[in-house]
Amino acid sequence: MTTATPATERLYQSGFGNEYASEAVAGALPQGRNNPQRAPFDLYTELLSGTAFTAPRRENRRTWLYRRQPSVVSGRYQQYAQAHWTTGADREIALPPEPLRWNPLPLDGAAEADFIDGMHTIAANGDAEAQVGIGSLMYLAGRSMERRAFVNADGEMLVVPQQGRLVITTELGVLDVKPGEIALLPRGMAFKVALPDGLSRGYVCENYGAHFRLPELGPIGSNGLANARDFQAPVAAFEDGGGAYELVKKFGGRFWKAPAKQSPFNVVAWHGNLAPVKYDTANFMVIGSISFDHPDPSIFTVLTSPTDTPGTANCDFVIFPPRWMVMENTFRPPWFHRNLMSEFMGLVLGEYDAKPGGFKPGGASLHNCMVPHGPDEEAFDKAAHSDLKPHKLDNTLAFMFESRLRFIPTNFALQSPALDTDYADCWAGLQDQFKP
Ligand SMILES: [Fe+2]
């Protein structure tokens, strides 16, 4: 890989949705026009459009690539087996109207799987063909992708590592991502993932709908939550030397593979606003209650994928990072509730304040549309009786993929030994305490 710096001090470009420009070889980026008769150094020009040509300017995403071979050069595709990565809502599966929870999915047997073969859909909604909905997935992997690349034509991928660092090589350059950070990989852009720490586990939101963007801030103002400057796009980098590659493509919910004579990571220069990015959740500026009451979790939204209905998201990516709790005369954990929106949660590290015992890092929970949930018996008892001094929730990172569409768990998830069949018992001890 040709890069301007060693991997330990990787260079990035700052911002979200910026008009970035980068060249791995000086002079490779054409100036003044996107598509000169002959591009510098006889590179091929290729446009990757992440939105319709005519999408409104503020939503429009596209990037010009200057590369050694255009991506149209590949061998013939044949079907590829990936049984655990399913797409969209499977309405054949009986969806229980109950809260569901999974213990951490074990990494036993994952040593030989790479990031693609180790992907498991836990629950999904919508329909990739209709460009609606998301999949909530987990990867359980131990092997780096070497001369193998993946293209997802069905959606962009939001990657939330929980155990193990990821080195994500993309057509536009390389991202180093560690637990606590997230990566957003555009639909249709080739990438591969190396696992420098060996066995690795994490969560993925496969977003079939409108691409993720920063939420509006309303009365919060022009600063706060995730700031655009803290997102990092790679600088241009390309692989030297030939040698065969295998391309794996997800296309319409099915998997395909084709041989390639050359690495797809052959982009020498690029410019545009469709780029993979990473973000460190430690840079999230938390807004919270400083008087009383527990605000809606929407104040923790990092990124949102909107629908045509204002304020009703295809997916909100929400985090629960370290923060101070100072509210007075208030039940501080989340209240008991039922919600139109459906909530898939994961835990990267530490504990979650509404479930101090049973929700473990690497686990997951699912509270679907109108399924009641809330603090468990232990959390309720503590929050109702403790002395409300300022208290820091520290060393914790939970997150939520929240969607307007109900998630249907996969057969894999419902039959997994990791499914916590006693989950609902955590509320069984909540007694009628009415004292008129
Ligand atoms: Fe909830």
Side-chain angles (χ1 to χ4, degrees), residues 350-374:
E351 52 179 51
Y352 176 62
D353 56 328
K355 300 277 187 317
F359 188 38
K360 302 182 189 77
S365 72
L366 178 59
H367 302 121
N368 261 321
C369 175
M370 295 301 153
V371 171
H373 56 285

Side-chain angles (χ1 to χ4, degrees), residues 368-436:
N368 261 321
C369 175
M370 295 301 153
V371 171
H373 56 285
D376 63 20
E377 186 188 344
E378 179 194 349
F380 177 84
D381 201 53
K382 203 169 146 197
H385 298 105
S386 63
D387 189 13
L388 294 183
K389 293 199 177 82
H391 165 62
K392 187 156 190 201
L393 291 175
D394 218 345
N395 299 312
T396 180
L397 181 63
F399 72 90
M400 184 158 68
F401 302 147
E402 183 176 282
S403 176
R404 74 178 302 179
L405 301 171
R406 229 183 305 258
F407 291 95
I408 300 186
T410 55
N411 281 322
F412 165 79
L414 289 172
Q415 289 158 15
S416 167
L419 180 68
D420 178 0
T421 51
D422 298 329
Y423 179 31
D425 293 347
C426 76
W427 294 286
L430 292 165
Q431 304 295 325
D432 183 346
Q433 306 184 103
F434 184 49
K435 300 180 194 75

Side-chain angles (χ1 to χ4, degrees), residues 125-140:
N125 60 30
D127 178 357
E129 292 309 302
Q131 298 180 359
V132 166
I134 63 169
S136 294
L137 303 95
M138 292 196 74
Y139 61 87
L140 308 164

